[in-house]
Structures are given as C-alpha cells and as structure tokens.
Amino acid sequence: MIHLPVSRLPALLAATLLAGLASAAQAQSAAPWFVRATVALLHDTNYLRLADGQTAPAGYTKADNVATGTLAAGFDRRFGANQRAYLDAQLRSSRLANNSIFDNQGWRVMAGMDWRAGSMVGGEVRVLTDRSLAALESGTTGVPGEANLVTLSQADAAFRVGRAIGFNAEASLGWREVDYSSSLYESRDYHEGSGAIGVRYRPSERSSIGVGLRETRGSYPRYQALSGGRFQADDYKGRFVDLTAVYSITGKSDLRARLSSGRIRHENAVQSDFSGLTGSLDWNWIPSGKLRFSTRLTREPSQDAYFVLDSAGGARSLEFSRISTSLRLQADYAASERFRVRAFASGTHRELSQSLPLAGGSALVVNGTDRTMTGGLGITWQPMSQLSLGCEVGHELRRGQAPLSSDITSSTLGCQLQVSLGNRPLDLR
C-alpha cells in the first residue's frame, strides 16, 4: 500500500484539477499546441539501490514512496508542406515520504525544426536540456548525503542534399555535455563534440542504405583530483565507420540497423580504450491494428549508452561503463479504445573498468562486469482523449562483481494520472 503525505502535493493536485476542468470545457484536438499535467505515485522496495543484504544507514530507509508532479506545455506545428517546428517544455517536482534528502526539482526542454528547401536540400536542428536526479548506486558508491542532480545539454544538426529517391549526401554536427551537482561525482562530468559525413542511397521512400565517417572528441575535465585544488583532465577521441540501413519489409514491419567499426582512445583513462564493433538494431512489427511488437538491440561505448532505453521507455542516467550491450522487447496491446496493455523485458550487460588511485600516485586498474534484467506490465485506461490513468508493476535484478558493481534486487508499483489540453504531446523517447 502506498501512503504519501498529502500536504506535499496541494499545488500539483490543484494544477491537475484546473487542467482537467479546462480540457473538459475547451478541448481542441486540432490545436497545434498542448498543455498537460501529471501526478505520479511510485513505491520502490529498494529506492536506494542497496546491495542484497545491505542495510540502510541511520536516517535512511531502503524502500520509499515517491510523488512526482509534472507540468508541460508545447507545440508541434507545420508550415507549408516541408517545414515543421516543435517544442516540449516540462517542469517536475518529486517528493519522497521517507528519504526527503532526495527531494528534487527538474526540467526537460526539447525544441527543434525540420526543414526542406525545394526538392534537393533539407535537414533538421534539435536542442535538448534535461535536469533530473541521478541514478543511485548505493550498493557500490555508498548512500550520497545529498540529492545528486545530473544535467544533460545537447544540440544536434543535420544537413542533406539529394532527392527522396536516389543518392543523398549527409553531414551532421553534435554537442553533448553532462554535469553532476554533487562534488563526489565531478570526475564523471564530461563534454563531447561530434561530426559525421556520409552518403545514402534510397531505392524507395521506405528503404535506404548508407555509409559514413564519424569522429568524436571529448573530455572529462575533472578526471582526477590533484593537490592545490587542481584537476587532471582525460581527453578522448573516437573514430568510426558507420553502415546504416532501413528496410520496410511490409507495410506492417520495418527494420533499422547500424553497424559501426572504430576505436576510442583516452589520454589518461586508458582502461576505457576500446576497439571493435558497435551498433544498434530496431525491429517494429504491427501484426494487427491492436497489437504492436518492438525489439531494440544496442551495443555502445559508455558515452553513447546514455540513450539505451530504460524500463519506462525513456533515456536512463549516464552509463559509467566501458561498453554497454542491451536488448529490449516490448509488446503493446489495445484491448479496446479505452484500455491499453504494455509488457516489456530488457537485459543489459556492462563491461566495467575503473582506475583506483593508490598511495604514492600510482593507480590500480580494476575490471568487472554486471548483468541487469528488468521487466514490467502496465495497463492504461483512457475514458476520454484528455484524461488517462495508468498503473505499472516492475522488477529489476542485477548481478555484479565487486567492487565496481553489486547484486541488487528491486520491485516497483506506480500509478499516474494525466490530464491534457490541446494537441497530442510530442513523443520524446
């Protein structure tokens, strides 16, 4: 049973009720904008992510109940046949019943534009900023004494020349920066720039094959603390050849694949160097109007594993690992116009490597692995287009090698109420 202090949520509940009244009186499904309010309640049997058999320190509890309120607004509008602009801005606040030290406020803002000039030139621009509570790793790092917030800032741009069918030339630029609020995690702060060029052949509008060259350069500016408040940075460089393909098998099935070959070299954290194959494979199958299956397989270096999907279908906190390999399976079933069911299972294998400082200035390189299995089942009831209520149960099981990982078990039960006004919100996954 979930028991939450109601006194902490009056503003969030009031906002939800006001949005509900507004939506009932003024719903305009054709509007290019949207507003939505969400209240979510979560019970987690191991919120601190303590190792199996590990007890919570004084002043903390292993399990907790979390209430999160989110207010969001934005628009998704097309200008003519070839231009599109969109924005999704969110403010959220989370309160914990027991471990109130981790109460936090965050945001997420995503904006972008897709454009095309004539029949030959086009591209897109996207910017994103997200601030949220960093994933707890109490089983290996200990319980932090403060809320550690991680801020992701990212900008991407792509430019293409070519027709919808035939050969295309492509170029892209990207920038990403990750910053942790806690000084205990400052060695994980990093920034990275990337650029790519390539060509793509489209035999049809639904299928394509491409090859490109990609280079990334980044730095961990506080990789290692030195005397006098100084830091030693760890700069890294990566170069890859990317082969990509998109193939629509039928109108109900499509396949997207990327295979990359290359290497990453670090100036100081040489234990994180990597050479080999990485990539991703996505397969979507819609056997009927009510049933949809999706499969995603990824293998990425740590800096890219940020985008491996988590149990909620969104981006998880940054993977601090050498290589992360993940497989996710999901099935969605629309039992009726008002009821939807979702089931998922995922598995992730991480190769871990870290340099631990020793007395005298030397260091010991420690290697290890861990495996994490997650699964869940959820149901959503949508009595009207502006209102939805959903609940989901989930379970996480991790098996890891000390000192870089540990065995962790956790179960969750969560429910959320969402009220919206205007057009359908953007899918930000």
Side-chain angles (χ1 to χ4, degrees):
M1 182 70 65
I2 301 177
H3 299 283
L4 291 162
V6 178
S7 60
R8 296 185 177 184
L9 294 173
L12 299 176
L13 292 175
T16 302
L17 292 175
L18 289 174
L21 292 174
S23 65
Q26 308 177 35
Q28 302 175 26
S29 60
W33 49 268
F34 66 87
V35 178
R36 69 177 181 270
T38 305
V39 174
L41 309 178
L42 173 71
H43 175 72
D44 194 324
T45 62
N46 187 7
Y47 184 83
L48 297 182
R49 291 304 182 266
L50 297 169
D52 292 350
Q54 181 182 0
T55 59
Y60 297 85
T61 62
K62 182 177 182 179
D64 213 335
N65 303 313
V66 186
T68 300
T70 304
L71 295 176
F75 64 86
D76 187 355
R77 184 172 182 179
R78 292 190 176 275
F79 301 88
N82 299 318
Q83 321 299 329
R84 172 185 175 232
Y86 53 89
L87 169 71
D88 190 308
Q90 305 178 13
L91 292 175
R92 54 179 176 262
S93 178
S94 295
R95 295 291 183 266
L96 283 70
N98 301 319
N99 302 293
S100 59
I101 194 172
F102 298 124
D103 290 352
N104 65 91
Q105 290 78 43
W107 67 75
R108 181 181 179 94
V109 180
M110 177 180 176
M113 175 180 293
D114 302 335
W115 61 275
R116 192 165 185 89
S119 61
M120 292 289 293
V121 180
E124 65 257 0
V125 177
R126 188 182 78 163
V127 294
L128 168 69
T129 178
D130 184 285
R131 183 174 177 88
S132 58
L133 185 69
L136 294 171
E137 302 175 12
S138 304
T140 52
T141 62
V143 180
E146 59 182 335
N148 179 31
L149 300 179
V150 56
T151 303
L152 167 69
S153 302
Q154 182 173 324
D156 297 283
F159 179 79
R160 301 182 181 88
V161 177
R163 298 186 181 278
I165 298 179
F167 283 96
N168 293 255
E170 304 177 344
S172 63
L173 293 173
W175 173 262
R176 189 188 312 167
E177 184 170 334
V178 173
D179 178 75
Y180 290 89
S181 65
S182 173
S183 59
L184 297 177
Y185 288 78
E186 60 187 6
S187 63
R188 300 188 181 188
D189 295 349
Y190 83 94
H191 56 260
E192 176 186 276
S194 62
I197 57 173
V199 294
R200 182 179 302 275
Y201 174 65
R202 301 177 184 272
S204 69
E205 293 186 357
R206 293 185 175 183
S207 301
S208 68
I209 184 170
V211 59
L213 301 176
R214 172 169 50 97
E215 178 168 318
T216 61
R217 295 191 179 189
S219 176
Y220 291 85
R222 299 178 178 86
Y223 168 68
Q224 187 172 354
L226 303 176
S227 61
R230 297 177 298 112
F231 292 92
Q232 181 183 48
D234 173 42
D235 299 331
Y236 63 88
K237 181 191 300 182
R239 291 178 178 175
F240 291 89
V241 176
D242 300 323
L243 299 176
T244 59
V246 177
Y247 181 56
S248 180
I249 303 173
T250 66
K252 298 182 178 181
S253 180
D254 65 83
L255 190 68
R256 296 176 178 269
R258 175 178 60 82
L259 180 64
S260 302
S261 176
R263 68 178 189 176
I264 296 177
R265 291 293 181 263
H266 290 253
E267 182 177 324
N268 290 302
V270 295
Q271 70 277 0
S272 297
D273 288 352
F274 170 79
S275 297
L277 298 177
T278 59
S280 63
L281 178 65
D282 293 87
W283 178 46
N284 295 308
W285 178 38
I286 308 176
S288 69
K290 293 185 175 183
L291 187 60
R292 178 190 181 103
F293 294 99
S294 60
T295 303
R296 180 172 175 82
L297 173 65
T298 62
R299 175 177 168 83
E300 299 291 0
S302 60
Q303 290 86 4
D304 295 325
Y306 184 96
F307 301 99
V308 176
L309 298 184
D310 67 7
S311 59
R316 71 170 69 157
S317 296
L318 179 72
E319 285 282 5
F320 195 66
S321 61
R322 180 172 174 267
I323 290 292
S324 178
T325 304
S326 180
L327 173 64
R328 177 183 173 86
L329 307 174
Q330 180 172 317
D332 295 273
Y333 178 65
S336 68
E337 293 183 356
R338 296 185 177 183
F339 287 95
R340 300 190 304 274
V341 180
R342 182 180 77 121
F344 69 88
S346 67
T348 300
H349 178 272
R350 298 192 303 171
E351 298 178 16
L352 308 172
S353 184
Q354 188 172 350
S355 178
L356 304 179
L358 299 176
S362 60
L364 173 65
V365 175
V366 180
N367 298 313
T369 62
D370 67 11
R371 301 180 306 278
T372 303
M373 300 294 296
T374 61
L377 178 65
I379 185 170
T380 300
W381 175 50
Q382 191 171 11
M384 60 184 69
S385 59
Q386 297 81 31
L387 177 67
S388 67
L389 174 64
C391 291
E392 183 173 282
V393 294
H395 187 72
E396 177 182 344
L397 180 66
R398 174 179 293 181
R399 291 296 177 258
Q401 300 174 348
L404 301 183
S405 187
S406 57
D407 294 349
I408 293 176
T409 305
S410 176
S411 296
T412 58
L413 169 61
C415 294
Q416 76 169 26
L417 172 68
Q418 180 172 287
V419 183
S420 61
L421 170 67
N423 200 5
R424 180 182 178 183
L426 293 175
D427 184 354
L428 299 182
R429 288 183 294 177

